[in-house]
Amino acid sequence: EKDGHDYFMLKEIAEQPKAVADTLLGRIDGSGVLSLDEVRISGEVLREVDKVVIVACGTAYHAGMIAKYAIEHWTRIPCETELASEFRYRDPILDRRTLVIAISQSGETMDTLMALRHAREQGAKVLAICNTNGSTIPRESDAVLYTHAGPEVAVASTKAFLTQLVACYLVALYLAQVRGNKWGDEIRDVVCELAAMGEKVQEVLGTMEPVRELARGLADKNTVLFLGRHVGYPVALEGALKLKELAYMHAEGFAAGELKHGPIALIEDDVPVVVVVPSPRGRSVLHDKIVSNIQEIRARGARTIVIAEEGDEAVAPYADHLVRIPRTPVLLQPLVASVPLQVFACELATARGNEVDQPRNLAKSVTVE
Ligand code: M6R
C-alpha cells in the first residue's frame, strides 16, 4: 500500500506530479481558457464579488496566504486570509458580495467548518476547496472545487497542499477570466505555465538526494529558521511547520523583511537558515533585497541553505548549500519551492528516529474546536 516507500509521506511526496496534473485535468482547455462550470457560482455573482476572504488552518492556511497574492494581483479584488480559528471571534465584516473560500484537505476540520457557517449566516457565498468527496465542509458550502490529490494518509500534508495551491490558482485565474481585466495576456501565459507544473514538480523530485544528505547532517541541531518574501514567505512558514510536526524541532518562518525588526537576534554561529529566494525575473527588487538578507545573516555566522531558481547566479556566493528549482512565473514558485522543504523535514525526522507518518500528539483531521 506504500508502493515500495518506507512511509506514506514519502509515497505522497512522490505522487505530487500526478496530484497536480489530476487537479488541473479537464479544467484548462487547449487554448488556455479555464472551464470551472463545476463550481456552479454564476458569472453574474462572481462579477459582483467585491471582497474575498480565505479561511483555513495549518498547511491549508499557508495555501490560502499564497492565494491572496495571486487573487489580488490577477483580479484586483481585495483579499484577506485568516486562520479559521480566529476569524469567527473577531466579528468579521461580510455581506452578499463577499466570497469566502474555505480550504480543507479533510473537509472535516471543525475550526474551518465553524468559520464557514458563520460566513454563510452573514450572507456571504462560500466556496470550498477540498480533497474529500462528500465531506462536511463541501456539503455545507455553496460551491466546491475538489482537489484531486487522492487519499492523503500521512498526518503531515504534502500532496494535498500542492493541489490546494493549484485549486487556488485556478479560482484566481477563473475570477480574472470571468471578470475580464487588463492582465489578459499575462493570465493566458500563466495558465499555460500552470498546465505544465506537474512536470516541473517531477523535475524537482529528481534532484532531492543532496537535500536528504543535508537534512541527515542537521539531525542534532536544535533550531532551524526559514526566511522568504512575497509568496516565499508562506512557503517558509510551511517549511517550518513541517519541521515542527515531524522533527519536533524549534523551527520558525519569517518574512525576510522582518529580520531587522527582531529575528536577526536569533542568528548565531552555525544556525541553519533556509532561504526561499524569489525569482530574479519579475519582481527583481525583492530578489535583490533577499540577497542582502542572505549576506547579513551569513556575516553573523548562519549556515545558509538557499533555495533559488536555476540561472540565479547572484545568490551562489552566499549559499553554504544551494538547492536549485526550475524557473517558474513568480506567483507559481511555491509549487516547486515547497517540495525540497517537505523532503528536508521528512528526512530530518527520520534521522532523529521519529515516526514520520504519525507524529506525536497530532491527528490527521482535527474535528474539535
Ligand atoms: O484537513 P485540513 O486541511 O482542514 O487540515 C488543516 C490542518 O489541520 C492541517 O493542514 C495540518 O496543519 C497538517 N497536519 C499540516 O501538515
Side-chain angles (χ1 to χ4, degrees), residues 57-60 103-107 109 155-157 164 241-242 245 366:
C57 305
T59 290
I103 309 175
S104 174
Q105 187 286 129
S106 62
T109 299
V155 166
S157 186
Q164 284 162 353
L241 177 63
K242 289 278 99 78
E245 283 192 284
V366 184

Side-chain angles (χ1 to χ4, degrees), residues 56-62 103-110 112 129-132 137 152 154-158 160-161 164 238 241-242 245-246 359 362-366:
C57 305
T59 290
Y61 170 69
H62 296 149
I103 309 175
S104 174
Q105 187 286 129
S106 62
E108 301 296 346
T109 299
M110 187 55 74
T112 310
I129 290 180
C130 184
N131 196 46
T132 312
I137 288 173
E152 191 179 63
V155 166
S157 186
T158 54
F161 176 61
Q164 284 162 353
E238 173 61 9
L241 177 63
K242 289 278 99 78
E245 283 192 284
L246 297 169
L362 293 173
K364 182 65 184 162
S365 56
V366 184

Side-chain angles (χ1 to χ4, degrees), residues 217-283:
L218 297 174
D220 61 346
K221 293 281 177 199
N222 298 318
T223 297
V224 180
L225 304 177
F226 295 76
L227 294 180
R229 280 192 97 107
H230 192 255
V231 290
Y233 167 44
V235 171
L237 295 178
E238 173 61 9
L241 177 63
K242 289 278 99 78
L243 204 60
K244 281 178 213 161
E245 283 192 284
L246 297 169
Y248 317 147
M249 285 167 87
H250 171 228
E252 253 191 285
F254 300 107
E258 275 292 294
L259 257 184
K260 56 186 174 300
H261 300 290
I264 198 160
L266 290 170
I267 307 294
E268 57 187 6
D269 213 28
D270 215 32
V271 60
V273 185
V274 180
V275 188
V276 183
V277 179
S279 164
R281 297 157 300 114
R283 299 208 175 63

